[in-house]
Every structure is written in C-alpha cells, then in structure tokens.
C-alpha cells in the first residue's frame, strides 16, 4: 500500500514541477507583480501591530485595567488599517523604482501623494476641509498599486527623455536632486 502512495506522490510532485511551477515562476518574474507583492508585504508589519491594538481594545477576557484605554486602542487600529492603501502605494513605488535603479524614496513619496489626490480628494463639512478615508483602507489597495506603477513609469519616462531642470556644476547634490525631480513630480 505504501508503494502505491509513494508512486502517486511522485506523480503529483512531477506534475506540479512540470506543469504548475513553470508558469508560476514566470509570473514571479513579472516586475509589476513583484512590486505589488513587495508593496503589500511592506504594510504587513503595520497590519500585525494594529491587530495587537485590536486585541487590546477587545480582549478575549475581561481586563478592567484596559477599559480606560479601549478608545485609544480602537483608534490606533482604525488609523493604521485605514491608511493601509497609502502604505501599499509607497511600498509598491519604492520596490519598482529600486528595480529600475531610480530614487525609490522620491518615487514612493510621489506615489503616496498622487494616491491621496486620487483616493481622498478634500471634502468640506460645515466649512472645514478634511480628507475622507473612504478609499485609503483595504478598498483602495489595488488603486494604490496601479497608481504606484504608473507614477514610477511616468517618472522613469520623463527622466529618460531628459525632461528635468538642469542645474550648473557645483550645486550641492541634495539641491540638484530636488530640482531634478521637480518637473516629473509636478506632471505626475
């Protein structure tokens, strides 16, 4: 009986190795999916930490000492998960930009700002402007990843075409970098 089990297991392993693994490996090499994976994984520690706040806000057993802090813990949980798509936008852009050897921090910031503009346009309530968080949570993750990819690709295209502000020699590197990204960041 064990002989037939090993044979079936070997057949299954061979089938997976020959038929299923090769397309999945090719999919793993697709730069946009890798960037999206990295962006989502960048938000994972935040999700785990915010989950601890949820447990503290609603412990499985009654802990009276936590009662005064329940609102705080609930707010922390809601805030972190309420902004998870923003973290994904930053992480996806950072990953893709690093793959292209262009400034990942600039691309991450540019992507996060662009995502906020798209997903959370200012709203006015009783004369006060605020940013609604309707799509900055899990509902906006896909939009965040697509925004990040488009921002990085546009930034790379503009840099490649030389559509930047050039500075004279002798300008400090940080000032040079700030002006170098000015036009691509404005267009994005």
């Amino acid at each position: 009986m064990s002989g037939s089990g090993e044979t079936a297991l070997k057949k299954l392993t061979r089938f997976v190795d020959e038929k299923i693994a090769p397309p999945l490996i090719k999919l793993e090499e697709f730069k946009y999916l890798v960037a999206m994976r990295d962006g989502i994984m960048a938000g994972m520690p935040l999700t785990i930490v915010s989950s601890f706040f949820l447990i503290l806000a609603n412990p499985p057993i009654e802990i009276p000492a936590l009662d005064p802090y329940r609102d705080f813990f609930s707010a922390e949980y809601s805030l972190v998960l309420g902004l998870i798509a923003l973290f994904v936008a930053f992480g996806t852009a950072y990953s893709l930009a690093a793959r292209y050897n262009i400034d990942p921090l600039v691309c991450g910031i540019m992507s996060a700002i662009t995502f906020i503009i798209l997903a959370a346009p200012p709203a006015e309530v009783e004369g006060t402007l605020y940013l609604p968080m309707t799509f900055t949570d899990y509902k906006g993750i896909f939009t965040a990843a697509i925004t990040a990819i488009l921002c990085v690709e546009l930034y790379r295209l503009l840099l490649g075409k030389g559509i930047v502000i050039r500075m004279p020699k002798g300008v400090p590197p940080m000032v040079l970098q700030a002006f170098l990204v000015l036009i691509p960041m404005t267009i994005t």
Side-chain angles (χ1 to χ4, degrees):
M1 188 177 249
S2 64
S4 64
E6 289 176 348
T7 305
L9 182 60
K10 286 181 182 179
K11 286 181 182 179
L12 178 63
T13 303
R14 187 172 54 250
F15 175 76
V16 168
D17 287 344
E18 293 173 1
K19 303 292 182 187
I20 295 175
L24 293 178
I25 290 170
K26 287 193 186 277
L27 199 60
E28 166 70 18
E29 295 169 357
F30 191 55
K31 62 186 171 191
Y32 300 126
L33 289 179
V34 171
M36 289 172 71
R37 180 204 62 203
D38 292 347
I40 291 169
M41 292 307 292
M44 189 64 67
L46 298 169
T47 303
I48 293 169
V49 168
S50 70
S51 297
F52 288 131
F53 284 112
L54 181 63
I55 293 169
L56 290 171
N58 303 294
I61 59 170
E62 190 61 34
I63 305 175
L66 292 178
D67 287 347
Y69 306 105
R70 286 183 196 258
D71 289 342
F72 170 76
F73 294 141
S74 291
E76 293 298 320
Y77 169 77
S78 297
L79 181 64
V80 172
L81 285 189
L83 294 173
I84 194 70
L86 184 64
F87 303 134
V88 169
F90 182 89
T92 301
Y94 192 96
S95 173
L96 187 59
R99 188 175 186 100
Y100 286 141
N101 291 321
I102 56 179
D103 191 342
L105 185 59
V106 167
C107 288
I109 292 169
M110 182 173 52
S111 172
I113 291 170
T114 303
F115 176 71
I116 289 173
I117 291 169
L118 290 173
E124 187 174 343
V125 174
E126 298 177 8
T128 302
L129 282 178
Y130 76 99
L131 293 177
M133 295 176 58
T134 308
F135 296 104
T136 59
D137 60 2
Y138 65 90
K139 293 185 291 285
I141 287 178
F142 186 72
T143 304
I146 297 300
T147 300
I149 290 168
L150 293 175
C151 283
V152 172
E153 290 297 342
L154 182 59
Y155 180 72
R156 187 172 73 109
L157 175 74
L158 293 171
L159 284 180
K161 298 283 185 185
I163 304 174
V164 295
I165 296 176
R166 304 255 184 239
M167 299 296 289
K169 290 182 179 179
V171 174
M174 291 302 290
V175 174
L176 180 66
Q177 181 64 25
F179 279 93
L180 185 69
V181 302
L182 196 58
I183 291 176
M185 191 174 276
T186 302
I187 291 173
T188 301

